[in-house]
Amino acid sequence: MKAIYKTICAGLIVCGTLTSCNDFIDVEPQGVISEDLAMSQPNEMVTSAYAKLGDDWYTYPFNLWPYGDVSSDDAMKGGSGTTDTNYHPVEVWSTLTASTPDHMDEQWYHFYCSISRCNRALVSLAEYGNAKLGEEKTKIREGEVRFLRAHFYFKLVQMWYQVPWIDEEVYKNHTEEQTPNTQFTHEELMDKIVADFKFAYDVLPVQQSEGGRANKIAAAAYLAKCYLTMAWGDGYEASTGAGHINSQYMQEVIKYTNDVKNSPYGYLEDFGDIFLPEYKNSKESVFAVQHSDYQDDNTLYGRANWSNMLNGCWQIWSCGWDFHKPTQNLVNAFKTRDGLPMFDDYNDEIAYPINGVPTAQKWDPRLFHTVGMPTFPYKYEAEYTMTKDNSRTPNTYGYYTSLKEVPQRSKGETFDNPWQAFAMNDYVLRYTDVMLMRAEALIETGQLEEARTIINDIRQRAKNSIAKHIQYAANQCDIALYPASYFSNKEQARKCLQWERRLELAMENGRYFDLRRWGIASQTLNKFFDKEKDAIYDGQTYAQYYKDAHYTPAKNEYFPLPYIQLYYVPGLYTQNKGYN
């Protein structure tokens, strides 16, 4: 904005000094493509919409790690202290307002920039597609763009419940600033998102010749995610949970996950491989935001993943700022007894493994793929073994670090001081996540044995994921498959499913949205706050700021609409309840 303002001012000054200047001079801007020319190239406009998938930054990460993990019992913010970035209100909830964190305004703005790209691409396809691409390819490209638009809208609704629906008709009519966020209810917005995904599902091929493009299976997986979200209720605890389940929506989840189950996608053999760059487009990846290293495309930084730039381990990476820190509660959740989860007493005592010092307490192997811990190799590499010095502020955020979102340190690094760039793809939908959605729907529709089979397949993969990467922790691991007795009733099966989602998908940016969907966010988080404030590692206390944390149902289920958006056009948007 500053650059534009200066240019306009300079132009006005020049005209003011020329007494013979009666008309503005119409000059084409330099260094940019004209809108008319851009809109006449539909294939390039679709590419432009795809480009927005990874066009994010740590203050507006499209993977939502602050809003899906830091807001939950899985992760703390990290960094140099509670004032480092403006995400602290998200982790304690009690101080969350429409202006804190101000990062929310950036998140909102950039999601709508992405939707604007989609709308422009749809208009371009409608006007020029058939002539330039042919009818069949135009329809496929339209399906891709509507998939992308639905993806961005799902994120918006996931965060803010009720948002303005800006589509290609609003864009063509220039009525963005006359479109309120109350035009459609939350349910109607979800129906519109589903309609876009259904269009994509109907026209897209099962496989695309070019990698990274949306296909029919990705659309099926996202439809399952939408229906699963809607099946539990609207997200507010008074109208969400086991007592509000829509069985018809659960059947839709089963229907669409059946397409994924019978597709070329599948479980990658070793759990650790899923989070290594060399496997980023494996059969596990149903849809992912594509990122690259500078060595891949001969550019300065590549198409780097800047959303996670803060999340590298302190002093392992040159610019590792130690954000996105696993909690003690999460570590405790990986405890096993006779190979099975300790559902009821997992958090009674603080425990953590020490490399080379096995104890009677055993662990699910996925712990060592998910959480970096002192004494253990960082991301499997002994030359980068972690110590307590690899934590930036242990008296606030402890000693654990996140592993999944970073590559191995020995493979090199890219950084633009003070920022770190990672070439890790961001999974939007991975196969195991989709199969757990299927298991969840099967449980809620009474098909418990098939659900047990799915979950046990996932646990078997975890059991097989020791020798290749974490042999050093083999004598600390013990994981068993669930016996039939654990799936003898829906309530017990539901507990197994919810536990499995936490362990399998830990630190993958979705834990809070799971808790909200199940209607158990307040009871889970307030219990977590009360216990986590007493966390201790090797005599060092930390996480004491949780003493001021509190989650308020009927308010905190969704985030407040950003203050700046509320007053951009006063009266246009209505704030979510509880935040007025």
Side-chain angles (χ1 to χ4, degrees):
M1 289 298 291
K2 289 180 180 177
I4 294 172
Y5 177 76
K6 289 177 181 177
T7 302
I8 292 172
C9 286
L12 291 175
I13 291 169
V14 169
C15 277
T17 60
L18 298 175
T19 57
S20 62
C21 183
N22 296 318
D23 299 304
F24 286 104
I25 300 172
D26 187 11
V27 179
E28 281 288 319
Q30 300 298 305
V32 296
I33 188 170
S34 74
E35 184 169 0
D36 288 343
L37 178 58
M39 293 295 284
S40 70
Q41 301 180 55
N43 210 42
E44 287 75 6
M45 292 298 288
V46 174
T47 300
S48 176
Y50 269 108
K52 286 298 291 181
L53 279 171
D55 192 19
D56 53 353
W57 191 252
Y58 79 89
T59 56
Y60 49 95
F62 288 171
N63 60 25
L64 300 183
W65 65 264
Y67 306 102
D69 275 350
V70 172
S71 59
S72 79
D73 52 351
D74 272 9
M76 298 175 287
K77 177 181 68 64
S80 67
T82 57
T83 59
D84 191 1
T85 75
N86 296 329
Y87 286 127
H88 179 64
V90 173
E91 62 180 339
V92 297
W93 290 99
S94 53
T95 59
L96 182 63
T97 69
S99 57
T100 56
D102 55 0
H103 299 324
M104 287 193 299
D105 179 63
E106 293 182 79
Q107 195 83 53
W108 175 290
Y109 170 76
H110 284 281
F111 274 146
Y112 274 105
C113 287
S114 304
I115 288 166
S116 177
R117 291 252 189 122
C118 294
N119 289 335
R120 289 167 186 254
L122 289 172
V123 172
S124 177
L125 286 165
E127 188 169 350
Y128 298 100
N130 288 349
K132 294 202 169 186
L133 305 177
E135 186 174 349
E136 181 180 358
K137 189 171 184 179
T138 296
K139 189 63 67 176
I140 290 173
R141 292 292 182 261
E142 183 182 355
E144 292 174 37
V145 175
R146 290 185 66 171
F147 176 98
L148 296 175
R149 182 172 69 179
H151 162 74
F152 288 120
Y153 264 118
F154 183 84
K155 300 270 187 180
L156 277 161
V157 174
Q158 198 175 32
M159 283 193 64
W160 286 294
Y161 185 71
Q162 218 163 333
V163 299
W165 181 263
I166 310 294
D167 60 15
E168 68 271 32
E169 294 303 316
V170 174
Y171 164 71
K172 287 190 293 185
N173 296 329
H174 305 293
T175 55
E176 292 92 343
E177 294 184 2
Q178 289 81 50
T179 304
N181 69 324
T182 54
Q183 181 181 12
F184 299 107
T185 65
H186 174 78
E187 184 177 7
E188 288 169 339
L189 286 169
M190 288 301 299
D191 287 342
K192 284 183 169 293
I193 293 168
V194 164
D196 267 357
F197 280 131
K198 279 188 174 177
F199 183 93
Y201 176 83
D202 289 339
V203 304
L204 292 179
V206 170
Q207 290 182 299
Q208 295 265 28
S209 58
E210 296 175 298
R213 292 190 183 273
N215 60 30
K216 185 183 188 72
I217 305 305
Y222 232 135
L223 281 166
K225 188 179 183 75
C226 289
Y227 279 117
L228 187 64
T229 300
M230 298 190 307
W232 286 87
D234 66 0
Y236 283 104
E237 287 191 8
S239 47
T240 298
H244 301 272
I245 287 175
N246 183 316
S247 59
Q248 182 179 347
Y249 285 162
M250 288 295 185
Q251 291 293 346
E252 293 294 308
V253 177
I254 296 170
K255 168 187 168 182
Y256 286 110
T257 56
N258 198 52
D259 283 359
V260 183
K261 180 183 177 183
N262 295 319
S263 75
Y265 299 99
Y267 300 114
L268 199 58
E269 285 72 19
D270 192 285
F271 182 78
D273 287 342
I274 301 170
F275 310 103
L276 293 174
E278 51 265 42
Y279 293 92
K280 62 186 177 183
N281 286 312
S282 71
K283 60 184 177 180
E284 182 81 26
S285 180
V286 178
F287 189 75
V289 179
Q290 300 295 308
H291 290 287
S292 63
D293 186 83
Y294 68 99
Q295 293 175 325
D296 298 330
D297 52 24
N298 299 308
T299 61
L300 184 59
Y301 302 115
R303 182 62 170 167
N305 184 336
W306 293 103
S307 60
N308 294 330
M309 70 173 78
L310 300 180
N311 301 349
C313 184
W314 181 250
Q315 295 183 348
I316 292 283
W317 297 99
S318 298
C319 293
W321 295 114
D322 206 31
F323 278 71
H324 199 204
K325 303 271 284 180
T327 64
Q328 181 62 51
N329 185 288
L330 176 62
V331 172
N332 285 346
F334 285 94
K335 293 177 182 176
T336 63
R337 182 181 295 124
D338 298 325
L340 295 171
M342 296 168 57
F343 293 123
D344 299 320
D345 59 350
Y346 79 101
N347 206 38
D348 287 355
E349 295 182 2
I350 292 172
Y352 41 83
I354 302 296
N355 195 15
V357 188
T359 67
Q361 179 62 67
K362 301 304 178 186
W363 307 86
D364 187 304
R366 287 170 290 190
L367 169 65
F368 303 94
H369 297 285
T370 303
V371 180
M373 298 170 284
T375 74
F376 285 95
Y378 179 79
K379 200 78 173 185
Y380 320 130
E381 299 188 302
E383 65 268 38
Y384 296 105
T385 294
M386 281 185 62
T387 72
K388 290 195 293 184
D389 290 335
N390 294 122
S391 188
R392 191 176 175 191
T393 49
N395 60 328
T396 304
Y397 293 116
Y399 294 106
Y400 303 126
T401 191
S402 182
L403 289 180
K404 286 182 176 179
E405 70 235 81
V406 294
Q408 291 176 311
R409 177 60 184 83
S410 69
K411 303 295 174 63
E413 59 180 332
T414 306
F415 61 95
D416 179 19
N417 192 36
W419 310 121
Q420 188 82 50
F422 298 124
M424 298 289 287
N425 277 8
D426 262 331
Y427 288 110
V428 176
L429 296 159
R430 67 177 178 92
Y431 183 80
T432 312
D433 180 12
V434 180
M435 289 301 100
L436 286 169
M437 295 181 206
R438 180 176 180 83
E440 188 170 330
L442 288 167
I443 288 168
E444 300 306 332
T445 55
Q447 301 173 71
L448 305 184
E449 187 54 29
E450 185 181 346
R452 183 171 78 98
T453 298
I454 291 171
I455 293 173
N456 275 344
D457 285 346
I458 294 167
R459 292 181 69 81
Q460 183 63 52
R461 194 257 302 272
K463 190 179 182 71
N464 297 341
S465 300
I466 296 174
K468 183 175 182 179
H469 292 300
I470 59 166
Q471 181 60 39
Y472 46 78
N475 58 2
Q476 310 221 34
C477 296
D478 186 23
I479 183 171
L481 306 187
Y482 285 112
S485 60
Y486 276 65
F487 283 73
S488 60
N489 62 75
K490 187 181 292 187
E491 289 70 27
Q492 181 68 18
R494 183 185 297 139
K495 181 183 288 188
C496 295
L497 177 280
Q498 292 179 355
W499 207 269
E500 204 64 28
R501 277 195 71 85
R502 186 180 192 190
L503 301 187
E504 176 71 20
L505 303 173
M507 306 300 288
E508 294 184 50
N509 316 318
R511 170 65 172 171
Y512 172 67
F513 303 119
D514 281 348
L515 294 175
R516 184 180 66 195
R517 180 175 76 255
W518 299 325
I520 60 173
S522 66
Q523 69 185 68
T524 302
L525 294 182
N526 287 329
K527 184 177 180 181
F528 160 72
F529 297 147
D530 185 59
K531 181 76 172 181
E532 194 73 8
K533 71 180 188 302
D534 300 320
I536 187 169
Y537 185 102
D538 195 23
Q540 173 66 64
T541 58
Y542 64 99
Q544 293 173 310
Y545 61 84
Y546 279 128
K547 69 181 186 301
D548 300 318
H550 184 76
Y551 183 97
T552 303
K555 173 186 177 181
N556 288 143
E557 287 93 336
Y558 290 90
F559 298 93
L561 270 66
Y563 178 90
I564 294 174
Q565 296 301 326
L566 283 175
Y567 290 97
Y568 178 63
V569 181
L572 186 62
Y573 300 152
T574 300
Q575 181 59 276
N576 285 331
K577 63 183 179 180
Y579 291 106
N580 292 325

